[in-house]
Amino acid sequence: MAEITQQRSRSRLWWEIAIVLTLTIGQNAVYSVLQLVRRLTLEVPLSDQSAQLNPVRPDQAIWDAVYLVLNVTFDLALVALVVYLLWEPGSNALRRIGLDFSRFGGDLGRGALLFAVIGVPGLALYAASRMLGLNVAVAASSLDAAWWTIPLLVLSAVRAGLYEEVIGVAWLYDRLRRLGWGWWTIILSTAALRGAYHAYQGFGAIVGNFAMGVVFGWCYRRWGRIMPLVIAHALLDIVAFVGYPVAAALWPGVFAPAPSPSPTGTPSPSPTPTP
């Protein structure tokens, strides 16, 4: 009887993983890989294509803002869903995964350290990938659409940290551990998933986000708290989104969007892409 109950529990975990990933980052990964394949079939070289992360049309700025807020709301609802699934009687799920403010000072310091460790090499990898023709030009944002653009970009960056780290690390690590997976198997497999849902940006982004997933996974295993990862991820995206126009002006050959066709007509492969 105990064996049957255990088998049912494992089956339930696999179904939960399949359903949640299909609704969230797994879906993003499928669209992202397909978009990379489409890009490679174009006659235009990969380095001459572009990807717009936060498209803004100045003549429709208010509607862009409305849709962005709705997108953030629905993504955060998915984050709430996995936190709900992690909740157990007598146990606070937020405290168990370290998504609280009980150690905010330490979390902030560790997040800033992760930001430095990932951000500088990540920027260098992106520049090198662009020069080698392995990445598209990632246009992160435009700051001149309306006064609320920067606050909404910051909101989008916070959403990115919560969406990817809570779902792709805290929740998924918990479920895979319950299935008996070893720590390094989990870290490497989830890092590969992180690379996959950024594949639409090119091969440099796959490598960079895989490395980021390994570092973040190791840190989560060591610290047992997701908050530093959320902070680091949000800081990375805030700098990328808000600093992009400056970088594009200073180094247009590397950061400016390419004036050439890119695949269109597909859903966004990732609502929270990380540069």
Side-chain angles (χ1 to χ4, degrees):
M1 186 68 178
E3 183 178 350
I4 294 176
T5 301
Q6 185 177 14
Q7 289 177 350
R8 287 177 177 174
S9 178
R10 289 177 61 85
S11 176
R12 183 181 179 88
L13 281 175
W14 278 119
W15 274 108
E16 179 183 318
I17 290 171
I19 292 169
V20 172
L21 289 185
T22 300
L23 291 172
T24 59
I25 55 179
Q27 178 187 140
N28 303 149
V30 172
Y31 280 127
S32 186
V33 171
L34 286 176
Q35 190 164 3
L36 176 60
V37 172
R38 289 183 64 195
R39 290 184 184 280
L40 295 174
T41 62
L42 297 178
E43 296 182 359
V44 180
L46 192 64
S47 59
D48 291 337
Q49 299 179 39
S50 64
Q52 184 75 40
L53 300 191
N54 295 288
V56 175
R57 295 157 294 182
D59 60 326
Q60 300 185 42
I62 184 63
W63 289 109
D64 288 332
V66 169
Y67 282 114
L68 176 58
V69 170
L70 288 175
N71 287 338
V72 169
T73 301
F74 292 136
D75 283 346
L76 292 182
L78 293 171
V79 174
L81 169 64
V82 300
V83 171
Y84 173 80
L85 292 173
L86 287 170
W87 216 280
E88 296 175 350
S91 173
N92 186 315
L94 294 174
R95 181 154 301 204
R96 182 154 53 89
I97 65 175
L99 189 65
D100 58 17
F101 296 98
S102 62
R103 305 179 191 173
F104 186 70
D107 290 339
L108 183 61
R110 288 171 172 171
L113 176 63
L114 273 178
F115 165 73
V117 169
I118 296 295
V120 175
L123 185 62
L125 177 62
Y126 173 75
S129 299
R130 289 284 296 130
M131 293 175 183
L132 293 172
L134 299 175
N135 240 60
V136 304
V138 180
S141 64
S142 173
L143 301 182
D144 56 358
W147 64 265
W148 56 75
T149 301
I150 291 180
L152 288 182
L153 289 174
V154 172
L155 177 64
S156 183
V158 173
R159 177 267 308 267
L162 288 167
Y163 183 87
E164 292 191 43
E165 307 312 328
V166 175
I167 297 175
V169 178
W171 168 79
L172 190 53
Y173 275 40
D174 180 272
R175 277 7 193 185
L176 294 177
R177 281 294 290 170
R178 292 178 186 231
L179 289 170
W181 287 34
W183 278 109
W184 276 107
T185 302
I186 294 173
I187 289 172
L188 294 175
S189 60
T190 54
L193 178 60
R194 188 188 294 261
Y197 62 73
H198 290 91
Y200 71 100
Q201 297 178 13
F203 296 101
I206 295 174
V207 173
N209 280 280
F210 175 82
M212 176 178 171
V214 172
V215 174
F216 273 30
W218 182 85
C219 289
Y220 181 66
R221 167 72 177 95
R222 183 176 179 84
W223 298 334
R225 293 185 60 79
I226 204 65
M227 184 66 86
L229 279 61
V230 172
I231 291 172
H233 195 138
L235 288 174
L236 286 166
D237 281 5
I238 289 171
V239 170
F241 296 166
V242 178
Y244 167 78
V246 177
L250 293 176
W251 300 284
V254 176
F255 294 101
S260 59
S262 295
T264 57
T266 57
S268 174
S270 174
T272 56
T274 302

